[in-house]
Amino acid sequence: MAASGATNDEMMDIGGAELDNNKNEKMFTLKKWNAVAMWSWDVECDTCAICRVQVMDACLRCQGDGNRQAGGKQPECVVVWGECNHSFHHCCMSQWTQQNKRCPLCQKEWSIQRMGK
Amino acid sequence: MYELMTMASMMEDSPNAAKRPNFSAISNSNSNGISKTNSVLMVKSGVAKKLVIKNFREKPKLPEDYHAETWKKLKEAVVAIQSSTPISYCLEELYQAVENMCSYQKASQLYENLREVIEQHVKETVEPYIRGVQDRKIFLKEMEACWQAHCRQMIMIRSIFLYLDRRYVLQTPSIPSIWDMGLELFRKHVIGQQLAQTRTVDGLLMLIESERQGDVVDRLLLKSLLRMLSDLQIYQDVFEHRFLQATDALYTAEGRRLMQELDVPEYLAHVDKRLQEENERVLHYLDGGTRWALIHTVERQLISEHLGSLLAKGLENLLDNNRIQDLSLMYNLFSRVKNGLVELCTHFNSYIKKKGRTIVIDPEKDKSMVQDLLDFKDKMDNIVLTCFQKSEKFVNSVKEAFEHFINQRPNKPAELIAKFVDSKLRMGNKEATEEELERLLDKIMVIFRFIHGKDVFEAFYKKDLAKRLLVGKSASVDAEKSMLSKLKQECGGAFTSKLEGMFKDMELSRDINVAFKQYVANLRTDFDSAIDLTVNILTMGYWPTYPLVEVNLPKEMVQYQEIFNKFYLGKHSGRKLQWQPTLGQCMLKAIFDNGKKELQVSLFQALVLLLFNESEDLSYDDIKTATNIEEGELKRTLQSLACGKARVLMKEPKGKDVTEEDKFKYNLEFTNKLFRVKINQIQMKETNEEQKATEERVFQDRQYQIDAAIVRIMKMRKTLSHQLLVSELYNQLKFPVTPVDLKKRIESLIDRDYMARDKENPKQYNYVA
Ligand SMILES: [Zn+2]
Ligand SMILES: [Zn+2]
Ligand SMILES: [Zn+2]
């Protein structure tokens, strides 16, 4: 897989090195850095209180759906934050608010603060 | 001497004659010169009508003694035939005489007279003669000669008396034809005599026994005499029964003896030979009706009786040594007897379970387990294919046995299969072409299919896949995708969705990095953009979890990280990023006395090396404080830099291991024939705890999977009984679960209002939308 840059380590031999006369040059210089970072939703509680599945996973209903995307997520199965700062699967919360307009955790009136993207 | 062929002119051929006597004794021997025309010999056929003799205008008066005179003539002729002397009358005259006798109502008497003459001959000449033969072997030959002579004579006599046979016998159902009368008399007076009969049958049995012991015997004599018994209709009564008894006794004893003396392959070969011999016996001289009972007797005494011992004594050895021909023979022989194949299959199944268990159970053999499994499967498949005729029973038995033994050791086979696949998919595996690799993967999938805890495989497979993707060590995108689609086909999309997610992350990262380069270029700050930063962004949950570590980065790296954070989180709100220093890779430019080099290093190696820009000598503690790298990790890192193949650092005191008292300085005289030098990391051995943690995660994940499967099924079915739901779950889940596990998950989903018990029937569930 060519996604990471560090390949063909020992394959190349350019032979003798061209001499650099710059005496100020450092002993070691960092030229390339292939870093790895993990993203997750910035939530206080990593489990959705409605379906009790981790918010990084698709909600239970989306997992149950036959036609799944890579990762088992529908594109819209993201996290939603309320003004109360509580977060849930957007799918779960939409279902929930059809019956109850309050946050299932703190009972404050539900209004969306932001959506995951 | 007698021109029998002239008879043909008088007789119509009647191939459809209903009553066709058996002239075997004659038709099979050419010596008597009358073998060519069986049709001539047809008697009691429907041709009489056409032979009605017309034009008897009136019956002429006959002399008083005509009858007596005529019979005298005929009797003379019969006696001449019986004594093989010439007949003094011409045949035409004799035919006419018989016809005349019939025309004058003397047929009945003529028949009686004839019978008398024949009986007298058989009783008074043939029987005493044969009684007088003493030697057992000569006896059989003489008996055969007598029989042949009798048949020959009866044919000639009957040809003279043909008119009688046609006119009188045919119309009188109560009396036998002349030929049958002859047989009856021979039976009664010759073979019916106890002594002759016993001597004949004993002689036959002796000859056969001698042939069974390997001697060459006169098969034609045997054949002729046995046909005689058949023709006389006493074959079954006087011979067959005793023959089968003798056969049974012989093979009972032989089976017991040879089971002791021979090893199993020799024994099987012997049985095969015996069956062939007995079949030949039927072909050459026994009556065809004896075949079934004869072969059955051999099979029973040589195979059925010893089934259990043969399998117990020989099967394992044959399978161990891949004795293809012997196994084929065993299958063929066993297929002849009742329960033979059932028993063979049962023992075959136990063998696979026993051998297979030794492959998977011993931790000492873990290194070769998967290859051993593949080889073992190939070997068993080949045996089923070539020796057991690809019988469905055996094919299924192999599957059942593999599934059984492979799950005798939980988790480990799944883990090792995952690692085996990794070794084949990793770059540097040059041993196989694409097609070979593909075939190998297919074979692995067959083994994989037997594993109950498929999610254990997934967890370990994922760890290795992550490594291949992040370090760019995958040998072929096609092979990766192919393996993924095989897994998907085998276990369904839910199983591979996270693995697919990993590939997707790699693709998205490529786009992100293009955008990031653009973003950096547009920043227009005085920021020193000498570092080429690429970040792989992984979705948490898809990938394995890595330990969280914090290390001190140089200022410029921290700056870069912050720029990237700002860029990324600006595009994706609600997310947070967690950097994974353990997975970072760097390329350093280094200046040595002998010239410049590019060093391929891990992030930790880079952090250590960069410290030497500031000072020439550093102690272990200096490095630890500056980098904040965890102790074990730091020691391995320093070891790789100062004790490995490419020693960029020098250690004081020298040694293979790093201690906390060591001092380090950079190696200005570093040489290497390559410009780009990869400094290998020292891999920490996967500890037991790590392995346990992976398994632990698998078991937690199972809870989610059970929940998802229940919701999926209930959403589709809306309403379902407990029993049906559970059986569907067993079909869908790729890991072992107990009914108690399922019950707990169902209860939990009822609590969470995903489903509810039916109000009328508590054993039924309804989906709650
Ligand atoms: Zn949810
Ligand atoms: Zn969803
Ligand atoms: Zn709330």
Side-chain angles (χ1 to χ4, degrees):
Chain A
M1 307 258 82
S4 151
T7 55
N8 281 357
D9 330 305
E10 287 147 291
M11 306 304 288
M12 208 175 294
D13 184 5
I14 303 185
E18 88 251 33
L19 275 171
D20 200 320
N21 293 323
N22 188 351
K23 288 289 165 199
N24 289 333
E25 208 167 350
K26 292 174 193 164
M27 181 71 201
F28 299 106
T29 319
L30 179 62
K31 302 299 280 184
K32 272 190 197 163
W33 178 18
N34 292 315
V36 175
M38 203 72 96
W39 79 264
S40 57
W41 298 117
D42 189 11
V43 289
E44 274 172 23
C45 172
D46 57 11
T47 305
C48 167
I50 301 174
C51 71
R52 295 193 210 170
V53 169
Q54 298 195 342
V55 286
M56 279 309 286
D57 282 335
C59 72
L60 206 44
R61 270 174 231 278
C62 284
Q63 283 189 41
D65 272 344
N67 55 337
R68 43 184 64 249
Q69 305 249 321
K73 283 184 195 181
Q74 304 297 320
E76 68 274 19
C77 197
V78 291
V79 176
V80 64
W81 286 262
E83 286 298 342
C84 60
N85 244 344
H86 287 130
S87 52
F88 310 91
H89 287 114
H90 181 52
C91 304
C92 297
M93 203 56 207
S94 322
Q95 192 102 10
W96 179 270
T97 49
Q98 283 173 14
Q99 262 132 55
N100 189 340
K101 300 277 187 227
R102 292 177 182 282
C103 169
L105 287 177
C106 63
Q107 302 302 321
K108 286 192 187 138
E109 191 163 330
W110 179 258
S111 76
I112 294 175
Q113 179 204 98
R114 61 183 168 138
M115 297 261 286
K117 200 168 82 171
Chain B
M1 205 161 57
Y2 309 103
E3 193 43 72
L4 274 168
M5 291 308 291
T6 59
M7 294 294 294
S9 56
M10 288 179 62
M11 296 172 71
E12 294 279 318
D13 283 358
S14 57
N16 297 320
K19 204 170 169 187
R20 187 180 294 208
N22 189 344
F23 290 102
S24 59
I26 297 138
S27 57
N28 284 312
S29 117
N30 281 325
S31 56
N32 56 21
I34 50 163
S35 63
K36 278 173 269 177
T37 45
N38 267 350
S39 57
V40 170
L41 305 171
M42 293 304 163
V43 286
K44 274 220 162 187
S45 59
V47 297
K49 256 189 256 168
K50 299 187 176 176
L51 284 170
V52 170
I53 299 180
K54 293 166 189 164
N55 300 329
F56 279 114
R57 272 144 278 157
E58 61 190 81
K59 285 185 184 169
K61 280 251 186 284
L62 291 174
E64 282 292 301
D65 59 351
Y66 179 78
H67 292 141
E69 284 301 315
T70 309
W71 167 240
K72 201 176 149 231
K73 236 194 284 180
L74 288 168
K75 187 180 171 183
E76 254 179 73
V78 170
V79 171
I81 290 171
Q82 288 171 337
S83 55
S84 298
T85 50
I87 304 173
S88 30
Y89 308 95
C90 84
L91 287 172
E92 204 54 46
E93 197 183 339
L94 294 172
Y95 301 152
Q96 195 58 57
V98 172
E99 198 179 315
N100 289 344
M101 291 288 268
C102 293
S103 308
Y104 289 96
Q105 269 80 44
K106 292 295 175 188
S108 155
Q109 204 189 330
L110 182 61
Y111 185 87
E112 275 314 310
N113 288 344
L114 178 61
R115 186 188 151 93
E116 227 166 85
V117 180
I118 296 171
E119 181 160 24
Q120 197 174 15
H121 172 71
V122 169
K123 191 175 166 184
E124 287 167 18
T125 310
V126 179
E127 199 275 331
Y129 170 73
I130 200 73
R131 198 179 333 125
V133 179
Q134 295 302 322
D135 186 273
R136 290 210 285 180
K137 271 185 188 155
I138 296 176
F139 175 84
L140 288 182
K141 281 207 154 56
E142 288 307 315
M143 176 56 94
E144 202 246 349
C146 284
W147 166 246
Q148 295 291 357
H150 174 79
C151 292
R152 236 174 4 248
Q153 290 162 13
M154 286 310 296
I155 285 166
M156 291 178 195
I157 292 168
R158 201 212 36 182
S159 73
I160 291 169
F161 289 83
L162 189 67
Y163 192 83
L164 178 69
D165 223 11
R166 291 272 165 84
R167 298 292 294 171
Y168 172 66
V169 175
L170 198 71
Q171 286 157 16
T172 316
S174 60
I175 56 169
S177 70
I178 295 170
W179 173 262
D180 286 345
M181 180 234 284
L183 292 183
E184 188 192 303
L185 293 172
F186 193 88
R187 179 163 60 223
K188 185 173 162 196
H189 295 295
V190 182
I191 204 75
Q193 296 302 303
Q194 194 57 49
L195 182 67
Q197 191 181 97
T198 310
R199 288 170 80 183
T200 307
V201 174
D202 285 354
L204 289 169
L205 291 174
M206 199 181 69
L207 273 186
I208 294 174
E209 193 182 323
S210 145
E211 190 185 39
R212 278 173 171 163
Q213 270 156 20
D215 298 338
V216 175
V217 300
D218 185 350
R219 285 182 158 185
L220 286 177
L221 177 63
L222 273 168
K223 175 177 182 155
S224 178
L225 286 170
L226 288 168
R227 293 302 285 264
M228 172 186 83
L229 298 182
S230 294
D231 289 349
L232 295 172
Q233 297 181 343
I234 54 172
Y235 175 87
Q236 285 178 324
D237 291 343
V238 307
F239 173 76
E240 191 182 51
H241 182 68
R242 284 191 57 199
F243 169 69
L244 290 174
Q245 268 186 333
T247 305
D248 193 85
L250 171 75
Y251 288 123
T252 305
E254 183 171 292
R256 286 185 193 146
R257 182 170 52 82
L258 294 184
M259 277 300 289
Q260 300 297 320
E261 289 174 9
L262 303 180
D263 67 22
V264 170
E266 285 170 338
Y267 183 86
L268 293 174
H270 179 79
V271 175
D272 192 43
K273 195 182 99 201
R274 278 304 197 198
L275 284 166
Q276 264 175 33
E277 286 170 4
E278 295 302 336
N279 266 310
E280 270 180 36
R281 222 148 264 149
V282 177
L283 285 179
H284 282 108
Y285 52 79
L286 292 170
D287 189 284
T290 309
R291 180 196 298 269
W292 186 86
L294 169 64
I295 299 301
H296 185 74
T297 302
V298 182
E299 287 167 352
R300 191 177 60 240
Q301 295 305 347
L302 292 186
I303 307 173
S304 298
E305 282 293 312
H306 305 287
L307 265 191
S309 322
L310 284 169
L311 289 166
K313 205 172 118 185
L315 183 64
E316 179 164 343
N317 193 16
L318 296 187
L319 291 168
D320 276 349
N321 297 309
N322 209 25
R323 299 273 289 258
I324 298 291
Q325 283 184 347
D326 294 329
L327 286 165
S328 304
L329 181 57
M330 184 180 252
Y331 181 90
N332 289 334
L333 292 178
F334 281 29
S335 69
R336 311 178 79 134
V337 303
K338 199 180 162 209
N339 282 332
L341 293 185
V342 175
E343 289 286 313
L344 176 59
C345 192
T346 308
H347 279 75
F348 181 55
N349 184 279
S350 316
Y351 170 85
I352 298 176
K353 285 178 180 165
K354 189 177 137 199
K355 285 282 152 176
R357 194 182 146 87
T358 65
I359 297 177
V360 297
I361 214 75
D362 182 3
E364 299 268 297
K365 294 201 221 154
D366 281 353
K367 260 193 171 163
S368 62
M369 184 202 291
V370 180
Q371 191 58 53
D372 289 349
L373 283 173
L374 290 171
D375 295 345
F376 187 51
K377 182 73 177 22
D378 271 351
K379 186 175 160 188
M380 294 301 110
D381 283 349
N382 182 49
I383 284 170
V384 170
L385 182 72
T386 49
C387 307
F388 301 161
Q389 293 180 9
K390 219 181 170 185
S391 145
E392 205 181 327
K393 195 208 301 261
F394 285 80
V395 171
N396 290 334
S397 188
V398 171
K399 286 187 191 155
E400 192 273 334
F402 265 79
E403 183 166 340
H404 175 86
F405 80 70
I406 219 169
N407 290 295
Q408 294 265 302
R409 184 153 170 223
N411 305 332
K412 200 67 188 182
E415 176 191 333
L416 292 177
I417 291 171
K419 292 201 168 134
F420 186 83
V421 175
D422 175 57
S423 75
K424 298 298 169 192
L425 290 177
R426 211 185 302 152
M427 202 159 70
N429 170 41
K430 297 263 159 59
E431 47 193 293
T433 64
E434 291 265 318
E435 295 88 65
E436 282 168 340
L437 183 58
E438 185 70 18
R439 253 201 314 272
L440 180 65
L441 293 180
D442 280 333
K443 285 188 172 178
I444 292 170
M445 289 308 294
V446 173
I447 302 286
F448 172 69
R449 203 162 291 152
F450 301 130
I451 300 276
H452 286 161
K454 295 199 165 52
D455 47 355
V456 175
F457 169 90
E458 194 243 20
F460 285 99
Y461 185 78
K462 176 193 276 191
K463 264 173 95 172
D464 294 327
L465 174 63
K467 231 179 269 173
R468 292 198 299 277
L469 292 179
L470 293 175
V471 191
K473 278 291 188 189
S474 182
S476 141
V477 189
D478 290 345
E480 292 283 359
K481 291 269 157 88
S482 158
M483 185 63 199
L484 199 58
S485 77
K486 285 183 211 305
L487 288 172
K488 193 170 184 171
Q489 209 175 4
E490 183 63 36
C491 305
F495 185 80
T496 49
S497 66
K498 290 189 174 178
L499 300 176
E500 288 174 85
M502 292 165 71
F503 282 94
K504 200 156 190 203
D505 277 347
M506 296 307 287
E507 280 164 33
L508 288 175
S509 294
R510 227 165 297 159
D511 299 343
I512 290 168
N513 282 304
V514 172
F516 177 60
K517 297 244 151 69
Q518 198 69 41
Y519 175 83
V520 172
N522 293 340
L523 275 179
R524 288 174 192 278
T525 58
D526 51 353
F527 183 71
D528 176 15
S529 59
I531 306 176
D532 175 8
L533 171 64
T534 316
V535 188
N536 282 316
I537 301 290
L538 317 182
T539 306
M540 192 177 278
Y542 292 177
W543 296 73
T545 44
Y546 299 102
L548 263 185
V549 296
E550 294 244 3
V551 293
N552 298 335
L553 297 179
K555 207 177 75 194
E556 54 173 356
M557 290 177 87
V558 176
Q559 267 181 323
Y560 242 120
Q561 232 177 32
E562 277 165 5
I563 293 171
F564 186 87
N565 276 340
K566 207 172 151 199
F567 157 77
Y568 182 81
L569 299 177
K571 286 187 150 235
H572 297 280
S573 71
R575 296 192 183 190
K576 63 182 176 198
L577 279 182
Q578 201 173 80
W579 294 74
Q580 303 284 335
T582 47
L583 301 174
Q585 302 282 322
C586 295
M587 196 271 280
L588 293 180
K589 200 173 76 182
I591 303 169
F592 298 103
D593 279 358
N594 286 322
K596 283 185 187 174
K597 297 280 181 196
E598 277 185 15
L599 303 179
Q600 293 285 342
V601 291
S602 71
L603 175 66
F604 291 158
Q605 288 169 330
L607 294 180
V608 171
L609 292 180
L610 288 170
L611 295 178
F612 288 88
N613 283 336
E614 311 300 326
S615 40
E616 275 182 39
D617 298 274
L618 288 167
S619 70
Y620 173 88
D621 281 335
D622 295 336
I623 299 171
K624 181 160 171 42
T625 314
T627 59
N628 196 29
I629 298 173
E630 180 271 330
E631 202 178 297
E633 192 77 59
L634 180 60
K635 281 187 178 161
R636 281 194 297 278
T637 304
L638 286 167
Q639 205 180 9
S640 70
L641 293 168
C643 316
K645 261 196 207 156
R647 299 185 182 181
V648 198
L649 295 183
M650 293 190 298
K651 181 173 90 80
E652 198 62 50
K654 292 194 187 325
K656 275 172 111 183
D657 295 310
V658 170
T659 70
E660 286 159 33
E661 282 71 45
D662 288 347
K663 294 199 182 328
F664 300 88
K665 62 190 212 172
Y666 63 81
N667 178 10
L668 206 58
E669 281 98 57
F670 178 81
T671 56
N672 196 298
K673 63 179 180 0
L674 300 173
F675 174 65
R676 268 187 197 171
V677 181
K678 158 119 183 153
I679 300 178
N680 288 318
Q681 279 170 271
I682 291 169
Q683 290 292 325
M684 185 175 52
K685 279 234 172 90
E686 204 168 57
T687 59
N688 273 342
E689 285 108 80
E690 267 184 297
Q691 220 144 313
K692 281 236 177 67
T694 306
E695 284 173 17
E696 203 62 39
R697 234 167 292 128
V698 168
F699 300 135
Q700 272 172 18
D701 207 42
R702 286 184 180 175
Q703 311 287 311
Y704 295 125
Q705 292 206 40
I706 298 172
D707 287 1
I710 295 171
V711 171
R712 187 161 58 236
I713 293 164
M714 290 308 297
K715 190 170 176 180
M716 200 163 69
R717 299 299 179 92
K718 302 298 179 232
T719 186
L720 209 57
S721 74
H722 177 79
Q723 210 183 346
L724 284 175
L725 174 60
V726 168
S727 80
E728 281 224 25
L729 284 169
Y730 275 118
N731 282 337
Q732 290 200 10
L733 296 170
K734 308 294 178 208
F735 46 83
V737 276
T738 64
V740 181
D741 292 336
L742 295 181
K743 219 164 175 183
K744 269 192 205 150
R745 300 320 303 163
I746 291 170
E747 293 298 337
S748 156
L749 286 165
I750 290 173
D751 285 349
R752 288 181 272 158
D753 288 335
Y754 278 88
M755 51 199 280
R757 272 180 219 289
D758 193 90
K759 284 193 181 80
E760 325 235 294
N761 179 1
K763 293 221 167 236
Q764 181 140 319
Y765 306 118
N766 299 321
Y767 181 66
V768 178

